[in-house]
Structures are given as structure tokens and as C-alpha cells.
Amino acid sequence: MAADSMVQLVSYLAAQQPGEINGTPESEWVDFKSVSPNGPYDLSTDKGKFELAKDVAAFANAGGGLLVCGFKAKKRPNELYEVAEKATPFDKKLVNTDSYKDILTEYVRPLIKVKFFWYDHPENAPETSGHYFVIEVPPLPESDRWAMVTRGITDNGQFIKNSWTIPIRNGDTTAFLPQDEVYRLLNDGLRARRAADTTVPAPEPAADRVKAREILRAALGLEESPVLFFQSVPDRPRGLVPGMYAGGGLRDILSNQDTLRSPHAFNWSSEYTHPAPREGGLLLTDAPRRGLQVESDGGVTGAVSATGEMLGWAMERYNDGSGVRRINVFVLTEVTLEYFRLINRHVLPLVEGVWTHRIVASDFARPPGRVLASGEDPVFPFVGHIEMATSDDWNHSWRALGDPERDAYEALRCIYALFGLDVSVNPFVDGDRVSAAKLLEKGKRLETGQ
């Protein structure tokens, strides 16, 4: 088995299936790092500091990528690239992320805002135990390239003062921009700066498909209701997604969803309607509760009503007589996680590259308005302190992480901010992720009436 994209590789780690990564070749988007007694990078040495800065800058210059620590890679006979061949999880104490940040701040220009993630090795694995450490490197915008390391290094592994290098990812290796190319870029930049036309408009924000939201809202008959939208769009669509209607394809997956609980719970499944073809994509509606639209290039829009049919489920007793207003914390969290479990696992792998997730809350502040509270849903008659939505057009996006529980956390972080709340007050959040285990525990209590 092997991972063919960043999303799929992260999904394997999040699902505690590191063995599925074996066979993945190093490339322009992934580099595997085995771990010495001093960690993936020995930051006590100039060489270790340089290697970290170099690897991060190289990926930033190449369109972004993952540094995956805890796998041994080897070049096999008759293969061009090194391939992950063995999982080697390790103890978290070997990595001090603050030290990693300090090195990157000191030795990389411009500053690259990397993200650090830990993933657990399966607890029941008999051979070994530990964790995997992933450094996610974002791509530098074309206008900001190139990232450089502010030190060169000698053959003996010592920093060279008053020197710099520009690393670039080349397949499974790192090369350095030649001096002649650096000279040409400097001169090109000077000429372009002199001739810059400041009247050129800024590009439109990526991946905001307003029309798709309007189409889905109309299909669900929710034009006059507050709606929470989820959207996921590839930054570089590549035409028709293959196998949309084939056996085992997206239509079958939407018809037979693997949900946390039953199809009658708060998810995107429906026992009463089936996904219908629409302009090369699919449309699955369950009016007036929720619906999904998959476009022909893989872009997805999901819509959930913020009424008593869905997000306001069982909250009628807490309104003030002017209509259902309160958002059910459990429903909001479960439907959010279920969206990313479905989309991250089954749609993102179909289009390689970077994806953007987006949250849009429409008409949440329109009278009578929608409210949300800290903590768990209230137990009657205690209403609890509530916060009113502060905008009718709340629109925020982030780069897809590929891990459903982490992307669900990012979505909730955006939603809670609409109400002036921090996502940490959600009882189903654990650190920087939504806990499926906590949701299942709550679901069982609901089903048994406890």
C-alpha cells in the first residue's frame, strides 16, 4: 500500500494505520525522516539546524509538503526514489517544538509558518510503540518566493557566516538555486518593480463558490432560513472527477455512508432520498434539514438548516417565544465531524494537491437570531449563559488538514468565533481536535434516555 497525496497520508496516520504508508516514495510533497537518539534533527549541531531550515525552505519553494518523522526510507533496486519501508515511531521527548520554531525563525527568510502534529502508533502493536511527528510546510505565494536559509554550511557541518542558500525540492532530493539563476532573478525583480502596474486588481479569494451555496439553498427550500454551509474545493481543479457514477464511486459512497451512529443521527446520510446526477456531479437533499452537492471537479458544498429541524434540534424549550433560536451544541459538533469524515476520506483523495475548507454562516444574526452557549447543552430548567451571533455573512476558510477530527476543530473554531466564544468551551473538543469518542458517549446517553 502507499499514500498518493498529503491528505491520504495524514488520514492513514490519523486512523493509526502507519503500515499503509510503507511503499510511499519520497517526492516533491513528502520527505521521510528516521529518528536518531537526538531526534529527527539534532539541533545541538549546526548541521542539524541547517537540515531543518533547508528542508522547510525547500518545501515552501516547491509548493508545500510534509516532513514525516518516524519512517525509514530506502531506495530499492530499479526504483528512482527512496521509499518508506518501515515505521519507526519514537518518544515525544525527542522533539521540542519550541526549539524547532526558534531555529526556523532565526535561519529562514521569510518566516514560514509551519504546523506541527503528533500522531499515535497503534497501542496494540506488539513490535513497537511511540508516535509520529509531522511538520506541515505551507507553500510560499509566487510573489514571495524564494525562501532562503540565512547560513551556508561547510563539508564538516559548520555554519558559514555571511552566507545564504536557496534550497529547492527536486523530486525526492533537495538542490540549491545556482548563482547565475539567483543573479537573473534579482535583475528580473528590479525590472518588474520598475514596471509594476499598481492598477492591476488583486485576485479573488480562492475556493469561494457562492453560486454552489445558492443552488443548494434553493434545492432545500431554505431561502428564508439561516443556514450553515460547509465547502471543500481543490485549489487547482483538474476537470471531471473519475468514477463519479461507477460502482464503488462517490454515488455509492453517498448512498451508503459510514456514519458514527445510525443514518437517523446528525450526519449527511438519508434513508429516504438518493444522490441524483447533476451537471456531472451529485446532489443529495434531505429538505428541510440538510443537503450535499458534489460538483463535477470534486468541489463539495454542504448545507444544514439552523432551525429546529437540525441545528436547533430539541432546543424549543429554550426560546423566548419568537422562534427556535438556540443552537444545539451536540448536533452542531456531530454534523461537523461527520462532514469531514465523509469528505476528507472519500473526496479529497480524488484530486491531488491542496484543498481549501470553508465555513459560511448565513443569516444567523437576522431576527430572531441564533444563539450559542459555552459547555454542554442545558438541562431543563437551567438555561445557561448564551451569546448572540454577530454577523449575517460569516465566511472563513483554511487549508485542509486531511485529518477529520482536526478539520472539524478548525470549523468549530470559526463557528464559535461568530458568537464571541472560544472553541475550547465546546465539551466535545480535546486539545486541537474534535473527539469522536466523546460524541459517541453522548450519543449513547441520548439513545438510552440518560
Side-chain angles (χ1 to χ4, degrees), residues 22-38:
N22 290 333
T24 302
E26 293 186 333
S27 65
E28 292 185 351
W29 60 266
V30 64
D31 192 15
F32 295 104
K33 297 291 180 182
S34 56
V35 181
S36 73
N38 294 319

Side-chain angles (χ1 to χ4, degrees), residues 278-397:
R278 185 189 181 281
E279 298 182 359
L282 292 165
L283 181 64
L284 175 61
T285 59
D286 186 16
R289 305 178 70 207
R290 72 279 169 98
L292 276 173
Q293 176 178 278
V294 182
E295 297 181 72
S296 61
D297 64 359
V300 180
T301 301
V304 180
S305 69
T307 67
E309 296 288 345
M310 198 67 175
L311 292 184
W313 180 81
M315 293 288 104
E316 291 90 345
R317 70 183 69 177
Y318 304 110
N319 70 49
D320 60 2
S322 59
V324 176
R325 296 173 50 172
R326 187 160 183 152
I327 300 298
N328 186 309
V329 173
F330 174 70
V331 175
L332 171 65
T333 308
E334 183 172 35
V335 77
T336 298
L337 178 57
E338 289 283 32
Y339 175 85
F340 292 105
R341 289 181 74 249
L342 175 64
I343 303 309
N344 282 10
R345 292 177 179 179
H346 299 294
V347 182
L348 269 63
L350 298 178
V351 183
E352 186 177 350
V354 177
W355 281 68
T356 296
H357 290 314
R358 184 178 298 275
I359 285 292
V360 178
S362 177
D363 296 326
F364 271 49
R366 189 178 69 188
R370 268 43 188 174
V371 297
L372 186 64
S374 301
E376 177 65 278
D377 294 313
V379 178
F380 187 77
F382 300 104
V383 175
H385 183 66
I386 58 175
E387 300 289 347
M388 180 72 72
T390 58
S391 172
D392 274 329
D393 188 18
W394 190 251
N395 188 324
H396 289 271
S397 63

Side-chain angles (χ1 to χ4, degrees), residues 107 148-153 158-165:
Y107 295 113
M148 67 166 60
V149 180
T150 61
R151 293 286 189 278
I153 199 164
Q158 303 295 316
F159 275 143
I160 305 173
K161 292 184 178 181
N162 302 318
S163 65
W164 50 266
T165 58

